[in-house]
Amino acid sequence: MAADPDPATRAELDTVLARAESDPAAAADLADRLAGPLEFGTAGLRGPVRAGPNGMNVAVVTRTTAGVAQWLEAHGHAGALVVVGRDARHGSEAFATAAAEVLTAAGFDVKVFPRPLPTPVLAFAVGRLGAVAGIQITASHNPPADNGYKLYDATGGQIVPPSDGEIERAIEAAPPAAEVPRSPGAEVVDLLDRYLDEVATLPMGAERAVRVAATALHGVGANTLQAAFERAGFTDLHLVAAQAAPDPDFPTVSFPNPEEPGATDLLLALASDVDADLAIALDPDADRCALGVRERDGRWRMLRGDETGVLLGSYILSTVDRTTLPDPLVATTIVSSSMLGEIAKAEGARYAETLTGFKWLVRAGEGLVFAYEEALGLCVNPGFVRDKDGIAAATLAAGLAAQLKAQGRTPLDVLGELAQRHGVHLTDQVSLRVTDLAVRGQLMAKVRATPPARLGGVDVTLEDLLPDADVVRLTGDGVRVVVRPSGTEPKLKAYLQVVADARDAAQERLTALRADVEELLA
């Protein structure tokens, strides 16, 4: 408490301490808050907004930024430009202010955004301004109680090892938060117009007659999406009104992630009501994008991340000017559908698979034109944002939907054609949420020690990706299972894929595979 510069969290911790003397629950709460500092990894920081070193608060952000400043100086970037942005979650404004003031006091040229903006705008600003780093205060699609701290390096992408370890050691060596100097004076900059100008240059075709229903899930994406659509010439946009304004309590969703059951119910209802051609869901910091479509029977559903990935990847490849870029590259991760590789082969393009996370995808190689991960991350614009970008992906998707509508076709028609050409690729996920993180390690050890011989009726072999990643891959004829601990949530995840010539056969095999994997992880 003595080291905390924020009177609000000092008082909060004092209250917990007083209760802990007689209340076992408060004692457990206190122990958890003091269990250790939030781990600084390649995803930066994520944790509940609360007092104590094991939470997101001004003291933790202050010491973290002191460590980042020291790391930048050690790499020869003393006094250089750093950009700081934020979302609209609880604590974001105070945390962004603390980060900017620590960097200013350390002698850096600091620029801050005037208001909460999507994470892709921060990633864009790092590259456009030639910054040596960018900090975005956001917890993306985590629960309402959380906040986070995402760090970009001079490449414009998120940090990768060994940077995370170097920064973590610098944070450990930082003085107590109350002793870290802070100074106001950061320059306010607004690069939104420049970002929107770039989005409007994406290859969207000439058609603009398309009706889109969209939601920002109470995050910061609604205004930017609307502005991007207007700049690109799409005028028939309908927002879910109850979810359009930023609200850190996320009152209409239990979990503000488009992948979660129920999160897009209001969106799909709106799409049906307005007779939309496409539905779009952004996550709260608008770096992820999910698409919804109307089935043949009139019902609406959200596409899986892999469906959206191959849909937009195929389209992007069809638009590449081979005279200026004769050898384009597309990339996805080891847990995503392998169909993108088949599409690339047919188009004469290069294809790469990376470890999970956009920090790896944007480093997949020269000539990158498109990258995606199954968790709704899409980069349709690596030329000006080296990260996933929900705003740009949504705008491009509207252009594709408009072209298809003019031809009397739909995204489902395209997906059907891709399956006919490259085989039916079905994907699924088995996700095990744990309260004790040690359980994840125990289950990974069990799979490594006694791997199954068959899954989904097919003989499989195990490939262990250690030491590069805590991942095991089980593969057989038309079957693939990838198991790994989540990097951002208390989950163990298994990613399933089957490939077959016909959809019925693929679905039957996927059902059997899912049952086997659920038993494996029980």
Side-chain angles (χ1 to χ4, degrees):
M1 288 188 289
D4 190 338
D6 185 348
T9 43
R10 279 203 310 272
E12 179 186 336
L13 205 54
D14 190 34
T15 300
V16 174
L17 178 61
R19 289 177 180 166
E21 295 176 1
S22 58
D23 182 349
D29 180 28
L30 179 64
D32 187 48
R33 290 168 183 259
L34 302 178
L38 282 182
E39 180 181 351
F40 192 95
T42 53
L45 299 173
R46 291 233 187 133
V49 178
R50 62 181 183 179
N54 195 22
M56 280 293 296
N57 52 67
V58 168
V60 166
V61 168
T62 297
R63 293 192 72 241
T64 297
T65 309
V68 169
Q70 193 280 325
W71 173 74
L72 288 170
E73 291 170 358
H75 285 268
H77 298 309
L81 172 62
V82 181
V83 190
V84 179
R86 61 185 169 96
D87 67 11
R89 283 178 176 264
H90 290 297
S92 286
E93 185 172 5
F95 301 160
T97 298
E101 291 184 352
V102 170
L103 289 164
T104 300
F108 288 88
D109 177 12
V110 185
K111 300 190 187 301
V112 298
F113 289 164
R115 60 192 177 280
L117 284 169
T119 295
V121 181
L122 185 280
F124 167 78
V126 172
R128 183 51 54 94
L129 297 176
V132 296
I135 296 167
Q136 177 79 350
I137 303 298
T138 180
S140 190
H141 56 276
N142 273 39
D146 289 359
N147 211 327
Y149 184 110
K150 184 180 289 188
L151 181 64
Y152 293 82
D153 64 19
T155 70
Q158 295 180 51
I159 60 167
V160 295
S163 295
D164 54 340
E166 295 170 354
I167 294 167
E168 189 162 32
R169 288 188 290 275
I171 296 169
E172 291 171 358
E179 299 175 19
V180 175
R182 288 175 54 174
S183 299
E187 180 187 357
V188 177
V189 297
D190 193 343
L191 270 70
L192 183 59
D193 273 346
R194 292 164 71 178
Y195 167 79
L196 294 172
D197 285 343
E198 293 284 1
V199 171
T201 67
L202 292 171
M204 291 172 281
E207 302 293 337
R208 291 295 181 269
V210 64
R211 179 168 297 166
V212 177
T215 180
L217 287 184
H218 300 294
V220 297
N223 288 342
T224 303
L225 180 67
Q226 197 160 25
F229 269 43
E230 290 172 359
R231 189 76 53 102
F234 299 109
T235 59
D236 201 353
L237 174 65
H238 301 257
L239 292 169
V240 176
Q243 298 174 333
D247 188 333
D249 293 320
F250 302 96
T252 69
V253 289
S254 57
F255 204 117
N257 179 352
E259 290 183 294
E260 293 290 328
T264 58
D265 286 356
L266 293 180
L267 169 66
L268 297 183
L270 175 65
S272 179
D273 289 345
V274 302
D275 193 25
D277 302 301
L278 183 70
I280 294 172
L282 303 174
D283 75 337
D285 70 329
D287 64 349
R288 285 173 170 82
C289 171
L291 301 184
V293 296
R294 184 166 34 206
E295 289 278 14
R296 319 280 183 212
D297 61 6
R299 290 181 297 179
W300 280 84
R301 75 168 177 94
M302 301 304 295
L303 295 179
R304 297 187 67 87
D306 282 315
E307 291 177 302
T308 300
V310 298
L311 178 71
L312 294 188
S314 173
Y315 173 65
I316 286 282
L317 280 175
S318 75
T319 68
V320 173
D321 183 352
R322 296 302 181 93
T323 60
T324 59
L325 190 61
D327 195 22
L329 170 69
V330 294
T332 189
T333 70
I334 58 173
V335 303
S336 301
S337 170
S338 59
M339 184 187 274
L340 184 62
E342 298 301 315
I343 295 169
K345 189 188 304 180
E347 293 288 338
R350 288 177 296 132
Y351 168 73
E353 286 184 4
T354 73
L355 297 176
T356 55
F358 258 85
K359 58 183 176 285
W360 301 115
L361 281 171
V362 297
R363 292 172 168 88
E366 292 297 319
L368 184 68
V369 296
F370 173 78
Y372 93 92
E373 58 183 356
E374 51 73 42
L376 308 180
L378 297 151
C379 180
V380 301
N381 51 331
F384 62 94
V385 172
R386 286 177 55 79
D387 198 7
K388 50 191 173 293
D389 185 342
I391 300 294
T395 310
L396 183 82
L400 172 58
Q403 291 184 55
L404 293 174
K405 182 180 181 180
Q407 299 164 6
R409 302 165 68 218
T410 71
L412 288 179
D413 293 326
V414 176
L415 289 173
E417 293 159 9
L418 290 173
Q420 282 186 337
R421 282 190 224 122
H422 307 295
V424 177
H425 290 61
L426 295 185
T427 58
D428 200 358
Q429 185 181 131
V430 175
S431 184
L432 179 67
R433 183 177 289 273
V434 299
T435 53
D436 180 1
L437 292 182
V439 172
R440 302 192 305 182
Q442 294 163 5
L443 287 171
M444 291 296 292
K446 184 185 85 167
V447 173
R448 287 185 167 102
T450 55
R454 290 175 66 83
L455 288 173
V458 174
D459 291 343
V460 295
T461 58
L462 181 139
E463 178 188 4
D464 193 342
L465 273 61
L466 282 176
D468 295 330
D470 187 9
V471 176
V472 295
R473 183 159 46 189
L474 298 150
T475 55
D477 184 20
V479 165
R480 188 197 69 195
V481 176
V482 180
V483 185
R484 72 174 184 96
S486 170
T488 57
E489 299 175 278
K491 292 180 177 180
L492 186 70
K493 293 185 174 182
Y495 303 84
L496 286 52
Q497 176 182 267
V498 299
V499 182
D501 293 333
R503 178 163 291 274
D504 288 348
Q507 189 60 61
E508 183 178 343
R509 179 174 289 182
L510 183 62
T511 300
L513 180 62
R514 183 180 179 91
D516 287 350
V517 171
E518 287 175 342
E519 183 178 349
L520 177 68
L521 300 183

